[in-house]
Amino acid sequence: TRIVECLDEKYYPISHLPTTSVIIIFHNEARSTLLRTVWSVLDRTPKSLVKEILLIDDKSDMPHLGYQLEQEVAAIPKTRLLRLPERSGLIRAKVYGAEQARGDVLIYLDSHCEVNEAGANTRIELARPLSQRERKARPASMVLPRPTSSQSR
């Protein structure tokens, strides 16, 4: 569900928004919940905005997240499954996901959530520099612009 005030919000035209890499970190998550998150991104976000969805497995050891998940993810458009060789923790897994990402903007989602209608558009809108949009108080969001070559890692 959306907050009523968000329904009246005027967003930047989709054609002017950057592409995004949606990064989802998981460890021993229920497969059905994880896939529901992925499909909510694909079903509720304009196709032109989603460059890719990265599923970063932080060394899960549950059998249902092995070969069966690999087969299912292989059939999902724009989605890649990347596995860390050892348990690294949330922050290292996020950094790894950022290093592998190809989109202009990074969005981190929990592995057990659903995207609302126009939810990703709103988060990508937040990634534009303040000089290009109205300055308003908005909820904090885990959206990071891609680093440029002039920025150090």
Side-chain angles (χ1 to χ4, degrees), residues 26 28-31 34 57 60 62-67 69 83:
F26 70 96
N28 288 341
E29 183 70 68
R31 193 178 79 254
L34 180 63
D57 180 5
S60 295
M62 295 182 147
H64 69 271
L65 295 173
Y67 179 74
L69 179 63
R83 298 188 187 273

Side-chain angles (χ1 to χ4, degrees), residues 58-82:
D58 191 12
K59 193 66 172 164
S60 295
D61 56 13
M62 295 182 147
H64 69 271
L65 295 173
Y67 179 74
Q68 187 175 3
L69 179 63
E70 290 174 8
Q71 295 302 110
E72 288 180 277
V73 170
I76 301 174
K78 300 183 176 188
T79 305
R80 293 191 290 153
L81 173 61
L82 304 171

Side-chain angles (χ1 to χ4, degrees), residues 22-29 34 38 52-60 69 79-101 108-109 111:
V22 177
I23 302 170
I24 302 170
I25 312 298
F26 70 96
H27 174 75
N28 288 341
E29 183 70 68
L34 180 63
V38 170
E52 63 187 346
I53 299 172
L54 298 180
L55 298 175
I56 310 297
D57 180 5
D58 191 12
K59 193 66 172 164
S60 295
L69 179 63
T79 305
R80 293 191 290 153
L81 173 61
L82 304 171
R83 298 188 187 273
L84 294 172
E86 61 185 34
R87 185 91 162 97
S88 301
L90 180 62
I91 299 305
R92 285 190 179 104
K94 285 183 175 187
V95 169
Y96 177 76
E99 291 171 346
Q100 302 303 310
Y108 292 92
L109 292 181
S111 57

Side-chain angles (χ1 to χ4, degrees), residues 20-24 34-47 49-53 78-79 107 109-110 113-116 120-121:
T20 186
S21 291
V22 177
I23 302 170
I24 302 170
L34 180 63
L35 294 175
R36 185 174 175 167
T37 300
V38 170
W39 282 111
S40 77
V41 172
L42 292 171
D43 291 343
R44 296 180 180 156
T45 307
K47 293 180 186 347
L49 297 182
V50 179
K51 177 79 169 185
E52 63 187 346
I53 299 172
K78 300 183 176 188
T79 305
I107 295 179
L109 292 181
D110 286 340
C113 69
E114 284 191 56
V115 173
N116 286 334
N121 307 28

